[in-house]
């Protein structure tokens, strides 16, 4: 990881970006001082079908993965989620902590359930379209009790992220987009499928990778999670294999050419406009 971090520092310099990306990994140990849900309902299709989930309690103890990540970004700490400390039925699924998905989530994100207080988010037009999405975005099963997200420079020796996630505005995103296509060597290196914000960070990059497709994922379009992102900010998530290629390719890419220099000035101007420039880079 030391080499990855050294090269990441160089990439941030080229991009004119100051926030270190977060890495996603699984661990048997809960991060100390991190942000995550309190113990609550345990989500599973078996418990759902048996009527054992207390939905009042589940929604009352709701804790968004990206909301916890928002706190982690501010404090430069870790965010985490586990099956027993889940906070969100969708978040647990997109983190690979349980499967199959819940039928309740199918209706919650689409039409709701007529005659009940669950009016639905109407993000997809039907339960059928939601089921297709859930099946397509199913990530590999979690390899540890906790799904952890923390800054790349906090990874210890022997730890390695599965995904690197950047939080950035359009100018910086354009640089990451160009670099991903250049490093991958094809025009479909970056995709932007429908997703919850946590799904764009965890589920989709890993789901594509499990299918043998190396894709960076542009996300953060989830209306429910926009309150946990800066104004004009989106998320760019890259599986580690592609991220390593990006780091190796950056010096020969467009990021070291004149056209990018003009875009980089706009990236720095954006930081100044938002009062976020620290003088680095």
């Amino acid at each position: 990881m030391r080499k990855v971090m050294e090269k990441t520092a160089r990439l941030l310099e080229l991009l004119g970006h100051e926030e270190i990306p977060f890495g996603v990994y699984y661990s048997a140990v809960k991060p100390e001082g991190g942000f995550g849900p309190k113990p609550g309902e345990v989500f599973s299709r078996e418990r759902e079908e048996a009527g054992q989930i207390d939905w009042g309690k589940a929604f009352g103890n709701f804790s968004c993965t990206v909301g916890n990540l928002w706190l982690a970004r501010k404090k430069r700490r870790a965010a985490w989620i586990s099956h027993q400390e889940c906070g969100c039925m969708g978040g647990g699924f997109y983190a690979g902590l349980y499967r199959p998905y819940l039928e309740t989530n199918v209706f919650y994100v689409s039409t709701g359930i007529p005659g009940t207080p669950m009016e639905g988010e109407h993000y997809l037009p039907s339960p059928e379209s939601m089921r297709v999405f859930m099946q397509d975005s199913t990530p590999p099963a979690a390899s540890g009790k906790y799904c952890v997200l923390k800054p790349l420079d906090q990874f210890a020796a022997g730890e390695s992220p599965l995904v690197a996630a950047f939080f950035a505005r359009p100018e910086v995103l354009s640089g990451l987009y160009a670099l991903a296509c250049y490093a991958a060597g094809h025009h479909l290196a970056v995709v932007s499928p429908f997703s919850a914000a946590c799904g764009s960070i965890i589920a989709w990059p890993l789901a594509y990778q499990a299918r043998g497709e190396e894709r960076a994922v542009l996300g953060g379009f989830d209306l429910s999670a926009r309150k946990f992102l800066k104004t004009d900010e989106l998320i760019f998530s890259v599986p580690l294999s592609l991220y390593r290629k990006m780091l190796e390719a950056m010096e020969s890419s467009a990021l070291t050419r004149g056209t990018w220099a003009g875009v980089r000035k706009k990236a720095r101007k954006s930081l100044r406009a938002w009062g976020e420039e620290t003088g680095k880079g």
Side-chain angles (χ1 to χ4, degrees), residues 78-224:
W80 53 269
I81 182 174
S82 76
H83 196 192
Q84 288 71 36
E85 300 155 291
C86 195
C88 173
M89 59 178 163
F93 174 78
Y94 302 130
L97 297 169
Y98 75 87
R99 58 180 58 183
Y101 57 84
L102 300 188
E103 279 293 301
T104 302
N105 204 28
V106 166
F107 287 91
Y108 179 73
V109 178
S110 59
T111 60
I113 301 176
T116 75
M118 187 186 292
E119 63 178 22
E121 293 178 309
H122 294 261
Y123 291 163
L124 284 178
S126 66
E128 291 74 23
S129 60
M130 182 62 184
R131 290 189 188 98
V132 171
F133 155 68
M134 297 288 270
Q135 291 165 2
D136 199 28
S137 65
T138 301
S143 58
K145 180 177 180 180
Y146 296 95
C147 180
V148 182
L149 305 94
K150 67 181 181 181
L152 280 187
D153 61 354
Q154 293 182 14
F155 276 69
E159 292 181 340
S160 183
L162 298 170
V163 177
F166 289 79
F167 300 87
R169 296 190 175 96
E171 274 68 36
V172 171
L173 289 171
S174 68
L176 288 167
Y177 185 104
L179 180 57
C181 292
Y182 179 77
H186 64 84
H187 60 286
L188 295 177
V190 183
V191 294
S192 187
F194 172 84
S195 184
C198 59
S200 68
I201 297 171
I202 307 168
W204 273 121
L206 297 180
Y208 279 117
Q209 190 173 59
R211 296 198 285 261
E213 301 176 41
E214 209 169 48
R215 300 285 187 269
V217 177
L218 181 61
F221 301 102
D222 175 6
L223 303 184
S224 297

Side-chain angles (χ1 to χ4, degrees), residues 10-123:
R10 171 59 175 158
L11 176 58
L12 293 175
E13 178 187 357
L14 287 173
L15 291 169
H17 190 54
E18 296 190 358
E19 183 176 354
I20 293 173
F22 270 63
V24 178
Y25 76 111
Y26 292 96
S27 173
V29 181
K30 181 191 299 186
E32 292 186 10
F35 297 95
K38 296 178 180 179
E41 283 296 323
V42 175
F43 301 109
S44 72
R45 180 72 69 82
E46 292 76 17
R47 296 194 75 231
E48 180 186 45
E49 291 176 346
Q52 295 174 344
I53 297 177
D54 182 340
W55 289 108
K57 179 181 176 182
F59 283 104
N61 292 333
F62 175 78
S63 181
C64 177
T65 302
V66 178
N68 288 314
L69 182 54
W70 173 242
L71 296 173
R73 290 175 62 197
K74 287 183 174 182
K75 301 293 185 179
R76 286 195 44 77
R77 298 181 188 173
W80 53 269
I81 182 174
S82 76
H83 196 192
Q84 288 71 36
E85 300 155 291
C86 195
C88 173
M89 59 178 163
F93 174 78
Y94 302 130
L97 297 169
Y98 75 87
R99 58 180 58 183
Y101 57 84
L102 300 188
E103 279 293 301
T104 302
N105 204 28
V106 166
F107 287 91
Y108 179 73
V109 178
S110 59
T111 60
I113 301 176
T116 75
M118 187 186 292
E119 63 178 22
E121 293 178 309
H122 294 261
Y123 291 163

